[in-house]
Amino acid sequence: MPRRISGLGICSALLLALACGGDDGSGPASTGVRIVSGDAQTDTIQGAAHEIVIEVRRRGRPGVGLAVRFERIPSENPGGPFDTILGVAPSRESFGAFVVDTTDGDGRASTLVIPGTVAGQGHVVVTCAEVGAADTATYTILPGNVARVVLDVKDTAIHVGGSYRVTGFPEDRLRNRRQDALAFSAGPNAASVSSDGTIVVGGTVGPGAVAVRAGTALDSARFLVVPAANIVFYHATARSIATSALDGSNLHILVAATTTAFPVASPTSDLVVYHQTDGLYIVDGTGARRRLLDPSVVQSALHPRFSADGRFVYFGARGGADHAPYVWRVGIDGTGLQQQGGGPHYYLDEGQVAPSPSGDRIAYVDGSSLVLEYLSTGKVVTLAVLGYFPVFSPDGSRLAYLADQSVYVANPDGSAPVRLANQMVTFDAGLTWLAGGRWLVTKSGANVLLVDATSGATFSLPGLADYSQIAGRP
């Protein structure tokens, strides 16, 4: 992009020229400085040197032996002191910010003006202090040849069948912006792309790209097609519970919260339940919040999950006569608190309780093992794994959990586990199924991961670095 030149410097020079009577020097009593040649030149960055010749007259005669200063107007380019529109010099090898020459017998002086590294309009002020006059030469410096394409949004997530627009511009080798039109051509997983860069993505979840050209320069706009799904999550920058589509669109902040929240949406309404240090809370789609359980009832309540019918919330907390860790269930109106299954348990990790869609069992972490508990019989099955964040698929046919920095998908009884996203997952990332039961969402450092529960294909979702503790939302 052309850099702006200081209007103040130009105006000052012009005012000085006018104030000092900078006419053409042809009158018998005229005194002034005029540019004889070299004004109004056009060239490209770092182009050829141009000679500028000026003439000084004093009282109608050539001003002989007078000092003349040629000075460029400084660029306001923030790139640094060596990024300039113009340089002036007696020779190309020694150009700089100003040069002083002495007028000859014809009252003339000269120097070289050399295009610099910045495209735009440049100015050289010519001053002769001994006659109190000045003039200004103007130069137009054009960008060089196209060297690269710069895209405003290079990588993005977009839901199946969605569209978005790619914008950008070409630059020369020194990052001066050019005005060439961009040309787009559809690549993998792009259903179409228009001349203005509007991309309609394909119907296959996975990566895609569109080629973007300007002259011989080429770049690509990459995107990830994601399922059309909604999520609830903790927004790290806003420090809030928020909802959005999986591609980051339709972002809606619900309520402020701390980082230990792990929100989960109700399967039957727009309610969201989450934990804070002072108890469990439920918030609706308008952001209205109410406390579900006061910490005086149970202490350190963690990781609440709705039952499949949305009537109850399961969680882990300290309570009972011994104030030990147990699994609990409470109605969404805060009544009917009940201790579930056996206990007490080893740690509060059993707060990662996951009720099955059928309501006949729960999975939770107890000490060093992932546990399945059948609620009707009280039967407890301890799986031979140290797993975290268990969650049943929407149809109850599979159980997913985290272990060894990976995602595991097993049968609903925990048998035949398959390891996915091998050693990519943050230990406290949380895990959720999306509607349909094919895709899982978790976290790897700052990246949200989309995992195919069948094939194991794993994709990092761009643009969602602030999203964490994600759960699917109907």
Side-chain angles (χ1 to χ4, degrees), residues 308-328:
D309 59 11
R311 297 169 54 206
F312 301 99
V313 172
Y314 288 84
F315 61 96
R318 293 185 179 274
D322 53 3
H323 296 285
Y326 291 92
V327 173
W328 302 82

Side-chain angles (χ1 to χ4, degrees), residues 199-288:
I199 301 170
V200 178
V201 305
T204 302
V205 173
V210 163
V212 186
R213 291 181 173 84
T216 59
L218 171 67
D219 203 346
S220 61
R222 295 178 294 273
F223 54 87
L224 179 68
V225 181
V226 300
N230 297 314
I231 54 176
V232 59
F233 55 94
Y234 177 76
H235 195 290
T237 299
R239 295 181 64 84
S240 299
I241 306 298
T243 63
S244 79
L246 188 60
D247 63 359
S249 63
N250 300 322
L251 175 65
H252 178 58
I253 303 297
L254 290 178
V255 66
T258 67
T259 56
T260 54
F262 285 94
V264 176
S266 166
T268 57
S269 73
D270 63 350
L271 297 179
V272 173
V273 64
Y274 61 99
H275 71 241
Q276 297 285 263
T277 55
D278 60 346
L280 301 182
Y281 288 88
I282 283 183
V283 60
D284 64 21
T286 70

Side-chain angles (χ1 to χ4, degrees), residues 179-459:
Q179 300 302 315
D180 309 65
L182 298 180
F184 304 89
S185 55
N189 218 5
S192 66
V193 58
S194 63
S195 59
D196 71 349
T198 299
I199 301 170
V200 178
V201 305
T204 302
V205 173
V210 163
V212 186
R213 291 181 173 84
T216 59
L218 171 67
D219 203 346
S220 61
R222 295 178 294 273
F223 54 87
L224 179 68
V225 181
V226 300
N230 297 314
I231 54 176
V232 59
F233 55 94
Y234 177 76
H235 195 290
T237 299
R239 295 181 64 84
S240 299
I241 306 298
T243 63
S244 79
L246 188 60
D247 63 359
S249 63
N250 300 322
L251 175 65
H252 178 58
I253 303 297
L254 290 178
V255 66
T258 67
T259 56
T260 54
F262 285 94
V264 176
S266 166
T268 57
S269 73
D270 63 350
L271 297 179
V272 173
V273 64
Y274 61 99
H275 71 241
Q276 297 285 263
T277 55
D278 60 346
L280 301 182
Y281 288 88
I282 283 183
V283 60
D284 64 21
T286 70
R289 185 182 78 155
R290 60 181 170 85
R291 194 193 300 269
L292 179 63
L293 277 179
D294 190 277
S296 64
V297 179
V298 290
Q299 292 78 49
S300 303
L302 295 173
H303 301 288
R305 299 273 185 91
F306 283 103
S307 61
D309 59 11
R311 297 169 54 206
F312 301 99
V313 172
Y314 288 84
F315 61 96
R318 293 185 179 274
D322 53 3
H323 296 285
Y326 291 92
V327 173
W328 302 82
R329 189 185 80 174
V330 69
I332 61 172
D333 61 357
T335 64
L337 179 66
Q338 293 181 356
Q339 183 179 310
Q340 299 293 295
H345 304 289
Y346 289 106
Y347 305 109
L348 278 174
D349 286 338
E350 87 284 352
Q352 298 170 7
V353 59
S356 68
S358 62
D360 66 332
R361 75 192 78 175
I362 55 175
Y364 55 87
V365 180
D366 185 16
S368 60
S369 300
L370 189 62
V371 172
L372 285 176
E373 185 171 327
Y374 294 83
L375 298 177
S376 60
T377 65
K379 178 183 178 182
V380 175
V381 177
T382 300
L383 308 180
V385 295
L386 176 57
Y388 301 94
F389 296 101
V391 59
F392 287 96
S393 62
D395 64 359
S397 65
R398 287 170 293 179
L399 175 67
Y401 54 89
L402 302 182
D404 305 322
Q405 296 179 290
S406 307
V407 175
Y408 284 82
V409 177
N411 293 326
D413 61 0
S415 63
V418 176
R419 189 175 188 176
L420 310 174
N422 190 15
Q423 292 191 324
M424 298 176 66
V425 181
T426 308
F427 79 96
D428 61 347
L431 183 66
T432 190
W433 289 90
L434 298 182
R438 176 179 175 181
W439 298 97
L440 290 153
V441 177
T442 186
K443 197 91 186 271
S444 175
N447 299 313
V448 175
L449 296 182
L450 180 66
V451 182
D452 189 330
T454 302
S455 70
T458 301
F459 307 105

Side-chain angles (χ1 to χ4, degrees), residues 83-153:
D83 290 340
T84 58
I85 290 180
L86 295 171
V88 289
S91 69
R92 178 155 192 121
E93 289 72 29
S94 59
F95 70 91
F98 71 92
V99 118
V100 176
D101 193 21
T102 302
T103 57
D104 60 16
D106 295 322
R108 296 190 173 189
S110 65
T111 191
L112 296 179
V113 178
I114 303 169
T117 59
V118 178
Q121 214 175 50
H123 304 270
V124 174
V125 176
V126 185
T127 307
C128 180
E130 293 183 64
V131 299
D135 202 352
T136 300
T138 300
Y139 299 86
T140 300
I141 309 303
L142 303 176
N145 294 328
V146 176
R148 65 181 64 85
V149 174
V150 178
L151 300 180
D152 295 328
V153 178

